Amino acid sequence: MLLRSNLACFVLSIAGLLLMTRPAKSQESQATPVEAIRAPQDFVVELLYSVPKEQEGSWVSIATDPTGRLIACDQYGSLYRVTVGETPEDTQVEQWDLPIGEAQGLLWAYDSLYVVVNGKAAEGSGLYRVVDTDDDGELDEVRLLKRLKGGGEHGPHAVRLGPDGMLYVIAGNHTQPPEGLAPDSPHREWAEDLLLPRNPDGNGHATGRMAPAGWVARTDPEGKEWTFICSGFRNPYDFDFNPHGEIFVFDADMEWDTGTPWYRPTRVNHAISGAEFGWRFGTGKWPDYFPDSMGSVVDIGLGSPTGVAFGTGAAFPAKYQHAFYLCDWTYGKIYAVHLEPNGASYTGTFEVFIKGKPLPVTDILVHPDGALYFTIGGRRTQSGLYRVRYEGSESTEPAPLPKNSEAAAARKLRRKLESFHGRQDPAAVATAWPYLNSTDRALRYAARIAIEHQARDKWQVRAWNEKRTTAVIEAMVALAHAGEQDEQALIVRRLSELDFAQLSEEQRLAWLRAFALAFIRQVPDPEARAVATEKLNPLFPVESQFVNRELCRLLIYLEAPGIVERAMEQLKAALTQEEQLFYAFLLRNAQGGWTPDLRQEYFSWLNLAENKYRGGNSFAKFIQQIRADAVEKLDDEQRETLEDVLAGDQTIPVVDVQTTRQFIHNWQMSDLLPLLDEVSEGRSFEQGKLAYHAAQCQKCHRFANEGGSTGPDLTGAGNRFSPRDLLESILSPSRVISDQYKGSVVVTKDGNVWTGRVINHDEDKLVLRTDPYTTHVTEVAASNVESVQPSTISEMPEGLVNVLTTEEILDLIAYVRSGGKPDDAAFQKAH
């Protein structure tokens, strides 16, 4: 529809200065044509305005005023008002002559324009409010509400109006938290919490930027009181509230880190109260599975996050009204993320919604007219303003959210627990304590933060007396964070009393992190080291990749006997370069336990990695830093013995380069469905077999008389399932789970919660296998069983094929369908 510019209150002026008129555009100032942009069927993309770059810069943020006109800002310049027409010729753009700009966040609220400056405009980086002081309908004064220390592309970014009527601001990891935070902010004593020394980025990026970094904070309309909500992001440009009032953030990782085990794909995070997301500079980033990190909701993959918006209010089919739209500047894509409630948090899938070349998307919003508007530009590239409309036959009436009463109750409970964050309350411990044992990660997290904020003497005895397994682990994490500094031996001894064999993988990872936090946060105690070494050393290695990582991290810290030799074996057996690099990175810290042959193998691997492996811009420098750290631990005699290999000559073939892989893409059904016709002929049997092992299928599945037995035998899968069925079971294993392989959640009368597959349940006992990689079982007396409920989560992890290329995934599907027969028709030459 044609927007009318009839609201005088949004005309800005200072001392009678007039709005500057729109200049004529040169031929060079033409944004990407819509013919080069793809959208789903029945969605139409329109180019509304090509920004004349020399006059109006490169637009990176947009908002709407009360009349529906757009406000836009040049990354390095001024604010603009846009009256949108049906065609580019009808669209009118006016420059505001105000002493403010360089905005990476814009919001109209409370009869004001809120501006987050990221640069030198006005009084520098900060949150500003532009107001009308004399009620003449013209905004005429720029007020600095809060100065923010940070700038550049990792400085302060977006501002949003929350459902509680407060303003929320997000900032990148080069921005310090606002000064004068409210004492009831839901945060704790921040620390790096790294067990072993890190390496900084070899190119110097973010070196020395300490926690807390990358944060969300809340303030009132006048910007007077600031509350810290959560942190641990790297460089989140934007965020939005879903219809449930929950905050979701699109966070970036450093693309220079690709190919390394500390690279984390760009991802969507659920920004709950007190959450920590674990960004630490250099190699120090926390993995998602740490219990003191909230992790991600959806991993996207390589990309450069910019603007985001929920589709609420869009005149789109229901699926797309509920979607969360993400702009990826680097790859020229807008993703539609489909979030689903999962307990007190969410899970989700995603698809590419819009893509083009070039299409450096910068910001996005749902307009009151029901269309989706987005801009391209940034870093002085050509800008344009676009509109996306739906013209299909599906209903675009406002669609109610699917009802999920269990998830709604879980969110309500989580918010009740969060009400104790940052303050002491006599009811907090009693209310929160039961949920330390919850199977819901978000509830456990909220409960532990609530308890950590209470006086220690209110819950210390309860922590030491706790018997429920998961609650013991969470309580020890809380004591490590908030307890006195002389409790290391007590924490380690209590953790050591737990039976590793009976823990699920999730519990094992949290258990190992609790050990690490005791050694990080507490005063060193020789007794604690001895107890931990005795408990942990016999466990390594196990089948689980990530449990092995954390065991190895702890055992190298503890200088456990034999750890160097066993870690080198893991390095040599690893199928991805990230996994190999992880062990090489840890082993650089080991002083003792080396033999001449092990050192020769170790430095040979570093030569291999430097010459053969590939990654981001910092990959080679990380290898060089690891080498320098390891060489520093050599004495003169050892350096002389290793002279050839230290000079760069690879003397020992440590691993088979053909089997090494790195993260490629977080594959979704929409990526691969159009290619499934290609699995019927012309595939490679040998590459399919390699892909089968690279995806670790053989650990759990029997195939052609080889492999594990905890998952279904796949030998006859090709006779039962279509290529689409197999692909869906690989990418979304929890979507359909056979009753034969469905897990259960077992709650006992003494308060324990076990998750796994019930092998047997009779009048005497319940037998449960909690680890899909082993045949070990946990037995629970039948008289102690409170309830047994089906689990909705498959034992099979997601993301196993994210190290495979498109062709390798097609070869894998063909290989599984062949039953292991190399003469299958799928491996014949295509006609």
Side-chain angles (χ1 to χ4, degrees), residues 41 104 112 120 126 233 383 506 516 620 626 674 828 830:
Q41 184 176 356
Q104 294 192 11
S112 310
K120 298 180 181 179
F233 303 108
S383 264
E506 183 179 30
I626 291 170
Q828 307 308 310

Side-chain angles (χ1 to χ4, degrees), residues 568 571-572 600-602 604-605 608 650 652-656:
M568 279 299 300
L571 183 154
K572 290 185 283 186
Q600 186 89 352
E601 291 176 345
Y602 180 76
S604 291
W605 183 87
L608 168 69
Q650 183 187 335
I652 297 176
V654 182
V655 296
D656 181 357

